Amino acid sequence: MTLPPRPNFPNYPGQPPYPGAVPPMYGAPVPPLPPPPKSNAGLIIGIIAGVLVLVAGVCVAGVLAFGAYRHDRAASYAEDQGPLSAATRDDTYAAPTTKAVPTTQAAPPPAPARVGDCIVVDEAGTYLGPGNCNGTQGTYKVLSVDHSRDTCADSQSPYLTESGYRLCLELYLVRTFCYKFPSGPGWVVAASACKAKGTVHVIDIVPGAANGNNCTRDLKWNRWYQFTHPTVVYCVMQY
């Protein structure tokens, strides 16, 4: 391609020769824009991210160390305590045990009578209260008093139960006093009036006798009665 001939312009003093073709826009070329300033945001974000990663690593390491410490403590406790059942331990420690609270048994009520006392009963054997052994009140003497015992030393001896106590008894009558004997099995009681019909007046007492052969001959009597547990013969005047 052939270019047109270059025009010939005169050169002015102090001006360099024409360099060639003129750029489309007249004037000096616009200098390029300076590069944008560098930002520190990326560096700051990187530093923050690094710190967070470091903190997270420390926390994870702490959790793992604490778990290992608890596991070691639990294993040491299990070795000291011996094998435990599943009902008394979990994965890491032995469950606390509850000690049974000792129970106290209530004290028994006061005994209705003491050994050696004479007591008053009715014809059915109901306990009426304490008496005495001089014949004025009471017909049975107490041989034993027990709140838990269910038998007497002599299993055939009379007994009654009062206030939870078993009172083992023996018949205890006194000379010259009047009583009422049962016609069959039953209990001896004091006579409401001496010499009343159906009552007896004790004249003599013979322990261990089987009959009235050893009853007194100095006093008058008309009948004898033998009782057992203990064995005794009462020589009486019966009305």
Side-chain angles (χ1 to χ4, degrees):
M1 178 178 181
T2 305
L3 297 175
R6 191 175 82 175
N8 186 15
F9 293 95
N11 291 330
Y12 294 96
Q15 182 176 354
Y18 181 71
V22 180
M25 298 284 301
Y26 293 100
V30 178
L33 295 175
K38 294 182 179 181
S39 175
N40 295 329
L43 177 60
I44 293 173
I45 293 174
I47 293 174
I48 292 175
V51 171
L52 293 178
V53 171
L54 179 61
V55 171
V58 172
C59 292
V60 171
V63 171
L64 293 177
F66 181 72
Y69 172 76
R70 290 189 64 191
H71 184 273
D72 292 342
R73 287 295 302 274
S76 175
Y77 184 86
E79 291 176 359
D80 293 341
Q81 299 296 321
L84 298 176
S85 66
T88 58
R89 65 178 298 172
D90 62 12
D91 292 339
T92 56
Y93 63 92
T97 57
T98 303
K99 292 184 178 180
V101 178
T103 58
T104 57
Q105 188 174 5
R114 299 175 300 176
V115 173
D117 289 348
C118 289
I119 63 172
V120 181
V121 299
D122 63 13
E123 295 181 14
T126 303
Y127 175 76
L128 300 180
N132 56 57
C133 298
N134 62 11
T136 60
Q137 192 177 20
T139 53
Y140 289 87
K141 178 180 283 189
V142 178
L143 299 179
S144 66
V145 179
D146 201 317
H147 189 258
S148 59
R149 189 173 179 177
D150 57 0
T151 59
C152 296
D154 182 353
S155 60
Q156 300 300 316
S157 66
Y159 70 89
L160 57 83
T161 302
E162 180 66 24
S163 301
Y165 289 87
R166 172 169 287 216
L167 306 182
C168 299
L169 310 169
E170 68 175 4
L171 183 63
Y172 190 86
L173 305 181
V174 180
R175 286 182 181 90
T176 72
F177 284 87
C178 294
Y179 302 93
K180 184 178 180 181
F181 288 173
S183 57
W187 296 76
V188 177
V189 298
S192 57
C194 198
K195 298 184 180 182
K197 185 177 181 179
T199 65
V200 297
H201 182 197
V202 176
I203 304 300
D204 195 13
I205 301 173
V206 186
N211 50 51
N213 293 340
N214 294 324
C215 290
T216 179
R217 302 301 175 185
D218 299 331
L219 299 174
K220 186 178 179 180
W221 53 272
N222 60 7
R223 191 158 185 169
W224 59 268
Y225 287 88
Q226 184 196 42
F227 291 87
T228 56
H229 310 287
T231 300
V232 62
V233 167
Y234 289 98
C235 312
V236 303
M237 181 65 73
Q238 185 172 12
Y239 299 99

CSV table of all heavy atoms in Angstrom, one decimal, residues 26-78:
chain,number,residue,atom,x,y,z
A,26,TYR,N,-5.8,16.0,19.1
A,26,TYR,CA,-4.7,16.9,19.2
A,26,TYR,C,-4.3,17.1,20.6
A,26,TYR,O,-5.1,17.1,21.5
A,26,TYR,CB,-5.0,18.2,18.5
A,26,TYR,CG,-5.2,18.1,17.0
A,26,TYR,CD1,-6.5,18.0,16.4
A,26,TYR,CD2,-4.1,18.0,16.1
A,26,TYR,CE1,-6.7,17.9,15.1
A,26,TYR,CE2,-4.3,17.9,14.8
A,26,TYR,CZ,-5.6,17.8,14.2
A,26,TYR,OH,-5.7,17.7,12.9
A,27,GLY,N,-3.1,17.4,20.8
A,27,GLY,CA,-2.6,17.7,22.2
A,27,GLY,C,-1.7,16.5,22.7
A,27,GLY,O,-1.6,15.5,22.0
A,28,ALA,N,-1.2,16.7,23.9
A,28,ALA,CA,-0.3,15.7,24.5
A,28,ALA,C,-1.1,14.5,25.0
A,28,ALA,O,-2.2,14.6,25.4
A,28,ALA,CB,0.5,16.3,25.6
A,29,PRO,N,-0.5,13.3,24.9
A,29,PRO,CA,-1.3,12.1,25.4
A,29,PRO,C,-1.5,12.1,26.9
A,29,PRO,O,-0.7,12.6,27.6
A,29,PRO,CB,-0.4,10.9,25.0
A,29,PRO,CG,1.0,11.6,24.9
A,29,PRO,CD,0.8,13.0,24.4
A,30,VAL,N,-2.7,11.6,27.3
A,30,VAL,CA,-3.1,11.6,28.7
A,30,VAL,C,-2.2,10.5,29.4
A,30,VAL,O,-2.2,9.4,29.0
A,30,VAL,CB,-4.6,11.2,28.9
A,30,VAL,CG1,-4.9,11.1,30.4
A,30,VAL,CG2,-5.4,12.3,28.2
A,31,PRO,N,-1.6,10.9,30.5
A,31,PRO,CA,-0.7,9.9,31.2
A,31,PRO,C,-1.6,8.8,31.8
A,31,PRO,O,-2.8,9.0,32.2
A,31,PRO,CB,0.0,10.7,32.3
A,31,PRO,CG,-0.9,11.8,32.6
A,31,PRO,CD,-1.5,12.2,31.2
A,32,PRO,N,-1.1,7.5,31.9
A,32,PRO,CA,-1.9,6.4,32.5
A,32,PRO,C,-2.3,6.7,34.0
A,32,PRO,O,-1.5,7.3,34.7
A,32,PRO,CB,-1.1,5.2,32.3
A,32,PRO,CG,0.3,5.7,32.3
A,32,PRO,CD,0.2,7.1,31.6
A,33,LEU,N,-3.5,6.2,34.5
A,33,LEU,CA,-3.9,6.3,35.9
A,33,LEU,C,-3.0,5.5,36.8
A,33,LEU,O,-2.5,4.4,36.4
A,33,LEU,CB,-5.3,5.9,36.0
A,33,LEU,CG,-6.4,6.7,35.3
A,33,LEU,CD1,-7.8,6.1,35.4
A,33,LEU,CD2,-6.4,8.1,35.8
A,34,PRO,N,-2.7,6.1,37.9
A,34,PRO,CA,-1.8,5.3,38.9
A,34,PRO,C,-2.6,4.1,39.4
A,34,PRO,O,-3.8,4.1,39.4
A,34,PRO,CB,-1.6,6.3,40.0
A,34,PRO,CG,-2.7,7.2,40.0
A,34,PRO,CD,-3.1,7.4,38.5
A,35,PRO,N,-1.9,3.0,39.7
A,35,PRO,CA,-2.6,1.8,40.2
A,35,PRO,C,-3.3,2.1,41.5
A,35,PRO,O,-2.9,2.9,42.3
A,35,PRO,CB,-1.5,0.8,40.4
A,35,PRO,CG,-0.3,1.6,40.6
A,35,PRO,CD,-0.5,2.8,39.8
A,36,PRO,N,-4.5,1.4,41.7
A,36,PRO,CA,-5.3,1.7,43.0
A,36,PRO,C,-4.4,1.3,44.2
A,36,PRO,O,-3.6,0.4,44.1
A,36,PRO,CB,-6.5,0.8,42.8
A,36,PRO,CG,-6.1,-0.3,41.9
A,36,PRO,CD,-5.1,0.3,40.9
A,37,PRO,N,-4.6,2.0,45.3
A,37,PRO,CA,-3.9,1.7,46.5
A,37,PRO,C,-4.2,0.2,47.0
A,37,PRO,O,-5.3,-0.2,46.9
A,37,PRO,CB,-4.3,2.7,47.5
A,37,PRO,CG,-5.7,3.1,47.1
A,37,PRO,CD,-5.6,3.1,45.5
A,38,LYS,N,-3.2,-0.4,47.5
A,38,LYS,CA,-3.4,-1.8,48.0
A,38,LYS,C,-4.2,-1.7,49.3
A,38,LYS,O,-4.0,-0.9,50.2
A,38,LYS,CB,-2.0,-2.4,48.3
A,38,LYS,CG,-1.2,-2.6,47.0
A,38,LYS,CD,0.1,-3.3,47.3
A,38,LYS,CE,0.9,-3.6,46.0
A,38,LYS,NZ,2.2,-4.3,46.3
A,39,SER,N,-5.2,-2.7,49.4
A,39,SER,CA,-6.0,-2.8,50.6
A,39,SER,C,-5.5,-3.8,51.6
A,39,SER,O,-5.0,-4.9,51.2
A,39,SER,CB,-7.5,-3.2,50.2
A,39,SER,OG,-8.2,-3.4,51.4
A,40,ASN,N,-5.6,-3.5,52.9
A,40,ASN,CA,-5.1,-4.5,54.0
A,40,ASN,C,-6.2,-5.4,54.5
A,40,ASN,O,-6.0,-6.1,55.5
A,40,ASN,CB,-4.6,-3.7,55.2
A,40,ASN,CG,-3.3,-2.9,54.8
A,40,ASN,OD1,-2.5,-3.4,53.9
A,40,ASN,ND2,-3.1,-1.8,55.4
A,41,ALA,N,-7.4,-5.3,53.9
A,41,ALA,CA,-8.6,-6.1,54.4
A,41,ALA,C,-8.3,-7.6,54.3
A,41,ALA,O,-8.6,-8.4,55.3
A,41,ALA,CB,-9.8,-5.8,53.6
A,42,GLY,N,-7.7,-8.1,53.3
A,42,GLY,CA,-7.3,-9.5,53.2
A,42,GLY,C,-6.4,-9.9,54.3
A,42,GLY,O,-6.6,-11.0,54.9
A,43,LEU,N,-5.4,-9.1,54.5
A,43,LEU,CA,-4.4,-9.5,55.6
A,43,LEU,C,-5.1,-9.5,56.9
A,43,LEU,O,-4.9,-10.5,57.7
A,43,LEU,CB,-3.3,-8.4,55.6
A,43,LEU,CG,-2.2,-8.6,56.7
A,43,LEU,CD1,-1.6,-10.0,56.6
A,43,LEU,CD2,-1.2,-7.5,56.7
A,44,ILE,N,-6.0,-8.5,57.2
A,44,ILE,CA,-6.7,-8.5,58.5
A,44,ILE,C,-7.6,-9.8,58.7
A,44,ILE,O,-7.7,-10.4,59.7
A,44,ILE,CB,-7.5,-7.3,58.7
A,44,ILE,CG1,-6.6,-6.1,58.8
A,44,ILE,CG2,-8.4,-7.3,59.9
A,44,ILE,CD1,-7.3,-4.7,58.8
A,45,ILE,N,-8.4,-10.1,57.6
A,45,ILE,CA,-9.2,-11.3,57.6
A,45,ILE,C,-8.4,-12.5,57.8
A,45,ILE,O,-8.8,-13.4,58.6
A,45,ILE,CB,-10.1,-11.3,56.3
A,45,ILE,CG1,-11.0,-10.2,56.3
A,45,ILE,CG2,-10.8,-12.7,56.2
A,45,ILE,CD1,-11.8,-10.1,55.0
A,46,GLY,N,-7.3,-12.6,57.2
A,46,GLY,CA,-6.4,-13.8,57.4
A,46,GLY,C,-6.0,-13.9,58.8
A,46,GLY,O,-5.9,-15.0,59.4
A,47,ILE,N,-5.6,-12.8,59.4
A,47,ILE,CA,-5.1,-12.8,60.8
A,47,ILE,C,-6.2,-13.3,61.7
A,47,ILE,O,-6.0,-14.1,62.6
A,47,ILE,CB,-4.6,-11.5,61.2
A,47,ILE,CG1,-3.3,-11.1,60.4
A,47,ILE,CG2,-4.3,-11.4,62.7
A,47,ILE,CD1,-2.8,-9.7,60.7
A,48,ILE,N,-7.4,-12.7,61.5
A,48,ILE,CA,-8.6,-13.1,62.4
A,48,ILE,C,-8.9,-14.6,62.2
A,48,ILE,O,-9.1,-15.3,63.2
A,48,ILE,CB,-9.8,-12.3,62.0
A,48,ILE,CG1,-9.6,-10.8,62.5
A,48,ILE,CG2,-11.1,-12.8,62.8
A,48,ILE,CD1,-10.7,-9.9,62.0
A,49,ALA,N,-8.9,-15.1,61.0
A,49,ALA,CA,-9.2,-16.5,60.7
A,49,ALA,C,-8.1,-17.4,61.4
A,49,ALA,O,-8.5,-18.4,62.0
A,49,ALA,CB,-9.2,-16.8,59.2
A,50,GLY,N,-6.9,-17.0,61.4
A,50,GLY,CA,-5.8,-17.7,62.1
A,50,GLY,C,-6.0,-17.8,63.6
A,50,GLY,O,-5.9,-18.8,64.2
A,51,VAL,N,-6.4,-16.6,64.1
A,51,VAL,CA,-6.7,-16.6,65.6
A,51,VAL,C,-7.8,-17.5,66.0
A,51,VAL,O,-7.8,-18.3,67.0
A,51,VAL,CB,-6.9,-15.2,66.1
A,51,VAL,CG1,-7.4,-15.2,67.5
A,51,VAL,CG2,-5.6,-14.3,65.9
A,52,LEU,N,-8.9,-17.5,65.2
A,52,LEU,CA,-10.1,-18.3,65.5
A,52,LEU,C,-9.7,-19.8,65.4
A,52,LEU,O,-10.1,-20.6,66.2
A,52,LEU,CB,-11.2,-18.0,64.5
A,52,LEU,CG,-11.9,-16.6,64.7
A,52,LEU,CD1,-12.9,-16.4,63.6
A,52,LEU,CD2,-12.5,-16.5,66.1
A,53,VAL,N,-8.9,-20.2,64.4
A,53,VAL,CA,-8.5,-21.6,64.3
A,53,VAL,C,-7.7,-22.0,65.5
A,53,VAL,O,-7.8,-23.1,66.0
A,53,VAL,CB,-7.7,-21.8,62.9
A,53,VAL,CG1,-7.1,-23.2,62.9
A,53,VAL,CG2,-8.6,-21.6,61.8
A,54,LEU,N,-6.8,-21.1,65.9
A,54,LEU,CA,-5.9,-21.4,67.1
A,54,LEU,C,-6.8,-21.6,68.3
A,54,LEU,O,-6.6,-22.5,69.1
A,54,LEU,CB,-4.9,-20.3,67.3
A,54,LEU,CG,-4.0,-20.4,68.5
A,54,LEU,CD1,-3.1,-21.7,68.3
A,54,LEU,CD2,-3.1,-19.2,68.6
A,55,VAL,N,-7.8,-20.7,68.6
A,55,VAL,CA,-8.6,-20.8,69.7
A,55,VAL,C,-9.4,-22.1,69.7
A,55,VAL,O,-9.6,-22.8,70.7
A,55,VAL,CB,-9.5,-19.6,69.8
A,55,VAL,CG1,-10.6,-19.8,70.9
A,55,VAL,CG2,-8.7,-18.3,70.1
A,56,ALA,N,-10.0,-22.4,68.5
A,56,ALA,CA,-10.8,-23.6,68.4
A,56,ALA,C,-9.9,-24.9,68.7
A,56,ALA,O,-10.3,-25.8,69.4
A,56,ALA,CB,-11.4,-23.7,67.0
A,57,GLY,N,-8.7,-24.8,68.2
A,57,GLY,CA,-7.8,-26.0,68.5
A,57,GLY,C,-7.5,-26.1,70.0
A,57,GLY,O,-7.5,-27.2,70.6
A,58,VAL,N,-7.3,-24.9,70.7
A,58,VAL,CA,-7.1,-25.0,72.1
A,58,VAL,C,-8.3,-25.6,72.9
A,58,VAL,O,-8.2,-26.4,73.8
A,58,VAL,CB,-6.7,-23.6,72.7
A,58,VAL,CG1,-6.6,-23.6,74.2
A,58,VAL,CG2,-5.3,-23.2,72.1
A,59,CYS,N,-9.5,-25.1,72.5
A,59,CYS,CA,-10.7,-25.6,73.1
A,59,CYS,C,-10.9,-27.1,73.0
A,59,CYS,O,-11.2,-27.9,73.9
A,59,CYS,CB,-12.0,-24.9,72.6
A,59,CYS,SG,-12.0,-23.1,73.1
A,60,VAL,N,-10.7,-27.6,71.7
A,60,VAL,CA,-10.8,-29.0,71.5
A,60,VAL,C,-9.8,-29.8,72.3
A,60,VAL,O,-10.1,-30.8,72.9
A,60,VAL,CB,-10.7,-29.3,69.9
A,60,VAL,CG1,-10.6,-30.8,69.7
A,60,VAL,CG2,-11.8,-28.7,69.2
A,61,ALA,N,-8.6,-29.3,72.3
A,61,ALA,CA,-7.6,-30.0,73.1
A,61,ALA,C,-8.0,-30.0,74.6
A,61,ALA,O,-7.8,-31.1,75.3
A,61,ALA,CB,-6.2,-29.3,72.9
A,62,GLY,N,-8.5,-28.9,75.1
A,62,GLY,CA,-9.0,-28.9,76.5
A,62,GLY,C,-10.1,-29.9,76.8
A,62,GLY,O,-10.0,-30.6,77.8
A,63,VAL,N,-11.1,-30.0,75.9
A,63,VAL,CA,-12.2,-30.9,76.1
A,63,VAL,C,-11.7,-32.3,76.1
A,63,VAL,O,-12.0,-33.2,76.9
A,63,VAL,CB,-13.2,-30.7,75.0
A,63,VAL,CG1,-14.3,-31.8,75.0
A,63,VAL,CG2,-13.9,-29.3,75.2
A,64,LEU,N,-10.8,-32.6,75.1
A,64,LEU,CA,-10.2,-34.0,75.1
A,64,LEU,C,-9.4,-34.3,76.3
A,64,LEU,O,-9.5,-35.4,76.9
A,64,LEU,CB,-9.4,-34.1,73.8
A,64,LEU,CG,-10.1,-34.1,72.5
A,64,LEU,CD1,-9.1,-34.1,71.3
A,64,LEU,CD2,-11.1,-35.2,72.4
A,65,ALA,N,-8.7,-33.4,76.8
A,65,ALA,CA,-7.9,-33.6,78.0
A,65,ALA,C,-8.8,-33.8,79.2
A,65,ALA,O,-8.5,-34.7,80.1
A,65,ALA,CB,-6.9,-32.4,78.2
A,66,PHE,N,-9.8,-33.0,79.3
A,66,PHE,CA,-10.8,-33.2,80.5
A,66,PHE,C,-11.5,-34.5,80.4
A,66,PHE,O,-11.7,-35.2,81.5
A,66,PHE,CB,-11.8,-32.0,80.5
A,66,PHE,CG,-12.8,-32.1,81.6
A,66,PHE,CD1,-12.4,-31.8,82.9
A,66,PHE,CD2,-14.1,-32.5,81.4
A,66,PHE,CE1,-13.3,-31.8,83.9
A,66,PHE,CE2,-15.0,-32.6,82.4
A,66,PHE,CZ,-14.6,-32.2,83.7
A,67,GLY,N,-11.9,-34.9,79.2
A,67,GLY,CA,-12.5,-36.2,79.1
A,67,GLY,C,-11.6,-37.4,79.5
A,67,GLY,O,-12.0,-38.3,80.2
A,68,ALA,N,-10.3,-37.2,79.1
A,68,ALA,CA,-9.4,-38.3,79.5
A,68,ALA,C,-9.1,-38.3,80.9
A,68,ALA,O,-9.0,-39.3,81.6
A,68,ALA,CB,-8.0,-38.0,78.7
A,69,TYR,N,-9.1,-37.1,81.6
A,69,TYR,CA,-8.9,-37.0,83.0
A,69,TYR,C,-10.1,-37.7,83.8
A,69,TYR,O,-9.9,-38.4,84.7
A,69,TYR,CB,-8.8,-35.5,83.4
A,69,TYR,CG,-8.9,-35.3,84.9
A,69,TYR,CD1,-7.7,-35.5,85.7
A,69,TYR,CD2,-10.0,-34.8,85.5
A,69,TYR,CE1,-7.7,-35.3,87.0
A,69,TYR,CE2,-10.0,-34.6,86.9
A,69,TYR,CZ,-8.9,-34.8,87.7
A,69,TYR,OH,-8.9,-34.6,89.0
A,70,ARG,N,-11.3,-37.4,83.3
A,70,ARG,CA,-12.5,-38.0,84.0
A,70,ARG,C,-12.5,-39.5,83.8
A,70,ARG,O,-12.8,-40.3,84.7
A,70,ARG,CB,-13.8,-37.4,83.4
A,70,ARG,CG,-14.1,-36.0,83.8
A,70,ARG,CD,-15.5,-35.6,83.4
A,70,ARG,NE,-16.4,-36.4,84.2
A,70,ARG,CZ,-17.7,-36.4,83.9
A,70,ARG,NH1,-18.2,-35.7,82.8
A,70,ARG,NH2,-18.6,-37.1,84.5
A,71,HIS,N,-12.1,-40.0,82.6
A,71,HIS,CA,-12.0,-41.4,82.4
A,71,HIS,C,-11.0,-42.1,83.3
A,71,HIS,O,-11.2,-43.1,83.9
A,71,HIS,CB,-11.7,-41.6,80.9
A,71,HIS,CG,-11.7,-43.1,80.5
A,71,HIS,ND1,-10.6,-43.9,80.7
A,71,HIS,CD2,-12.7,-43.9,80.0
A,71,HIS,CE1,-10.9,-45.1,80.3
A,71,HIS,NE2,-12.2,-45.1,79.9
A,72,ASP,N,-9.8,-41.4,83.4
A,72,ASP,CA,-8.8,-42.0,84.3
A,72,ASP,C,-9.3,-42.0,85.7
A,72,ASP,O,-9.0,-43.0,86.5
A,72,ASP,CB,-7.5,-41.1,84.2
A,72,ASP,CG,-6.9,-41.3,82.8
A,72,ASP,OD1,-7.2,-42.3,82.1
A,72,ASP,OD2,-6.1,-40.5,82.4
A,73,ARG,N,-9.9,-40.9,86.2
A,73,ARG,CA,-10.4,-40.9,87.6
A,73,ARG,C,-11.5,-42.0,87.8
A,73,ARG,O,-11.5,-42.7,88.8
A,73,ARG,CB,-11.1,-39.5,87.9
A,73,ARG,CG,-10.1,-38.4,88.0
A,73,ARG,CD,-9.2,-38.6,89.3
A,73,ARG,NE,-10.0,-38.7,90.5
A,73,ARG,CZ,-10.4,-37.7,91.2
A,73,ARG,NH1,-10.0,-36.5,90.8
A,73,ARG,NH2,-11.1,-37.9,92.3
A,74,ALA,N,-12.4,-42.2,86.8
A,74,ALA,CA,-13.4,-43.2,87.0
A,74,ALA,C,-12.8,-44.6,87.0
A,74,ALA,O,-13.2,-45.5,87.8
A,74,ALA,CB,-14.4,-43.1,85.8
A,75,ALA,N,-11.8,-44.8,86.1
A,75,ALA,CA,-11.1,-46.1,86.1
A,75,ALA,C,-10.4,-46.4,87.5
A,75,ALA,O,-10.4,-47.5,88.0
A,75,ALA,CB,-10.1,-46.2,85.0
A,76,SER,N,-9.7,-45.3,88.0
A,76,SER,CA,-9.1,-45.5,89.3
A,76,SER,C,-10.0,-45.8,90.4
A,76,SER,O,-9.8,-46.6,91.3
A,76,SER,CB,-8.3,-44.2,89.6
A,76,SER,OG,-7.7,-44.2,90.9
A,77,TYR,N,-11.2,-45.1,90.4
A,77,TYR,CA,-12.2,-45.3,91.4
A,77,TYR,C,-12.8,-46.7,91.3
A,77,TYR,O,-13.0,-47.4,92.3
A,77,TYR,CB,-13.3,-44.3,91.3
A,77,TYR,CG,-14.4,-44.4,92.3
A,77,TYR,CD1,-14.3,-43.7,93.5
A,77,TYR,CD2,-15.6,-45.2,92.1
A,77,TYR,CE1,-15.3,-43.8,94.5
A,77,TYR,CE2,-16.5,-45.3,93.1
A,77,TYR,CZ,-16.4,-44.6,94.3
A,77,TYR,OH,-17.3,-44.7,95.2
A,78,ALA,N,-13.0,-47.2,90.1
A,78,ALA,CA,-13.5,-48.5,89.9
A,78,ALA,C,-12.5,-49.6,90.4
A,78,ALA,O,-12.9,-50.6,91.0
A,78,ALA,CB,-13.9,-48.8,88.5
